[in-house]
Amino acid sequence: MRFAIIAPPHPTALWKKNFEEIVPHVPLLIGHETDQPEDVVCAMVWKQPFGSLKKFTNLKLIFAMGAGVDHVLSDEQIPKNIPICRVIDPQMAFSMSNYIIMAVLNHHRSFYEFEKAQRNSHWAQFEFEERELKIGVLGIGHLGMDCAIKLHQLGFSVVGYSPSPKQTPFPSFSGANFDAFLQDINVLICTVPYTKHTHALLNNKLFQKLNRPTYLINVSRGKVHVEEDILSALDAGVLSGAFLDVFEVEPLPKESPLWLHPKVHLTPHIASLTYPKESIYQMLHCFDQMEKGLPIPQLVDRQKMY
Ligand code: GLV
């Protein structure tokens, strides 16, 4: 019985270290190359080479090393009928929410304007008022819900949107009321998973339905937005600014106009990192439940893609 980590070098090193500390007696394969593929019962994966899981004939569990599973499921050769679990971690929600709150507060308190004034040794007292925000959280799953509740508790006006109705301590929209949600806000926070329904969702057509101007924060996946449309919406004053952690192509190409756009703030997909120690405990719990024939937590619905 062997577990495998199939991922890029950085997460592999972190997960290997933690795995070996937590379960030193369990044999671990790094990467997918092996003479004994039949030994592998559980694969922890992130951006795995397509088709690489096919050879593990005794695989019982696939564990996605992150919250989003689009990278894992884009492998069409991924074995069918094997449960896939993903990370659902309060610590991830903590860092994601703090990141989003930072972006909201910087905008709310005109931080960038004051920063610019500072660079000019200019005392900008009374020049920028607190912005009145009506915050919309698009996608109120585990991560979106956490940040929406925290923003609501900070006293902001918050509304949420999810395809199916959710119990929320703030007003929320669902189903066909998407346009009503968009028309109710001036900050749009996107935390949706990447699926065939959310592909290129943040596009010009959607931006045209927003109040002018609206501030955009995207921490979900780059392919959920259309960068060309964000740039034209910024230039036309439809969007007042954009705070982006994810991009259509990552790393963001050097020639992207987003880097130097005065209304864009960006970070290199770090809004919420996975905490390997907690995630490995989760993976072991999922595996244990599966072995005992008990309900497996954190199961991914392959159709829904989350
Ligand atoms: C990171 O982007 C994740 O999906 O965990």
Side-chain angles (χ1 to χ4, degrees):
M1 179 175 109
R2 217 163 174 206
F3 283 46
I5 298 176
I6 305 165
H10 183 71
T12 296
L14 289 176
W15 283 59
K16 177 177 184 294
K17 178 173 171 292
N18 283 274
F19 184 93
E20 287 171 350
E21 275 167 21
I22 297 168
V23 275
H25 53 283
V26 177
L28 180 65
L29 169 70
I30 298 299
H32 64 97
E33 307 289 354
T34 170
D35 295 340
Q36 290 155 319
E38 65 285 352
D39 283 358
V40 174
V41 289
C42 176
M44 292 163 265
V45 295
W46 192 252
K47 297 187 181 175
Q48 75 279 8
F50 288 174
S52 59
L53 301 184
K54 273 194 312 193
K55 60 167 117 25
F56 302 131
T57 46
N58 291 317
L59 194 63
K60 295 180 183 177
L61 183 74
I62 299 168
F63 191 82
M65 298 161 64
V69 289
D70 47 303
H71 299 308
V72 175
L73 292 180
S74 56
D75 178 359
E76 285 175 6
Q77 300 171 60
I78 198 160
K80 311 248 181 296
N81 309 320
I82 293 185
I84 302 177
C85 296
R86 68 183 178 111
V87 177
I88 298 186
D89 179 3
Q91 216 176 341
M92 258 183 121
F94 170 80
S95 60
M96 177 66 96
S97 292
N98 287 345
Y99 178 97
I100 295 170
I101 292 167
M102 165 189 70
V104 168
L105 293 182
N106 285 351
H107 175 56
H108 174 55
R109 297 303 304 264
S110 303
F111 177 74
Y112 308 115
E113 288 80 356
F114 285 115
E115 195 183 33
K116 202 162 142 203
Q118 180 190 341
R119 302 286 159 235
N120 292 317
S121 311
H122 171 60
W123 186 252
Q125 194 179 27
F126 311 130
E127 289 183 22
F128 306 105
E129 294 185 347
E130 288 184 3
R131 290 193 172 94
E132 254 185 61
L133 304 185
K134 190 93 204 283
I135 300 171
V137 181
L138 174 56
I140 38 177
H142 177 65
L143 298 176
M145 182 72 94
D146 188 78
C147 97
I149 289 174
K150 287 173 178 166
L151 286 164
H152 172 68
Q153 285 168 344
L154 283 176
F156 287 107
S157 162
V158 175
V159 294
Y161 176 88
S162 62
S164 51
K166 291 257 165 94
Q167 285 280 0
T168 52
F170 46 82
S172 54
F173 297 82
S174 61
N177 294 319
F178 189 46
D179 289 3
F181 162 77
L182 296 175
Q183 281 151 19
D184 204 33
I185 61 176
N186 62 13
V187 176
L188 176 59
I189 299 171
C190 177
T191 61
V192 295
Y194 178 65
T195 69
K196 55 181 182 301
H197 302 294
T198 63
H199 174 78
L201 175 68
L202 303 178
N203 62 18
N204 200 32
K205 205 167 142 215
L206 180 148
F207 297 149
Q208 294 308 323
K209 296 177 185 166
L210 292 166
N211 286 306
R212 288 182 185 216
T214 288
Y215 192 77
L216 174 68
I217 300 170
N218 187 13
V219 292
S220 70
R221 284 288 185 264
K223 288 196 166 70
V224 168
H225 67 215
V226 179
E227 280 157 23
E228 211 185 309
D229 291 1
I230 292 178
L231 287 160
S232 56
L234 287 168
D235 294 339
V238 173
L239 292 177
S240 52
F243 203 119
L244 306 173
D245 184 52
V246 288
F247 304 91
E248 285 172 30
V249 176
E250 296 182 5
L252 181 64
K254 286 253 184 282
E255 58 280 9
S256 167
L258 289 170
W259 285 107
L260 297 178
H261 197 289
K263 294 183 182 168
V264 173
H265 289 91
L266 63 85
T267 49
H269 201 146
I270 48 79
S272 169
L273 301 174
T274 310
Y275 295 87
K277 191 171 173 184
E278 167 61 23
S279 303
I280 285 163
Y281 280 119
Q282 293 188 2
M283 178 276 299
L284 292 170
H285 179 60
C286 293
F287 190 78
D288 190 50
Q289 290 284 106
M290 186 268 313
E291 287 277 73
K292 290 181 177 147
L294 294 171
I296 309 173
Q298 300 164 214
L299 260 188
V300 172
D301 179 327
R302 293 188 188 215
Q303 291 311 312
K304 285 189 175 162
M305 291 183 72
Y306 57 86

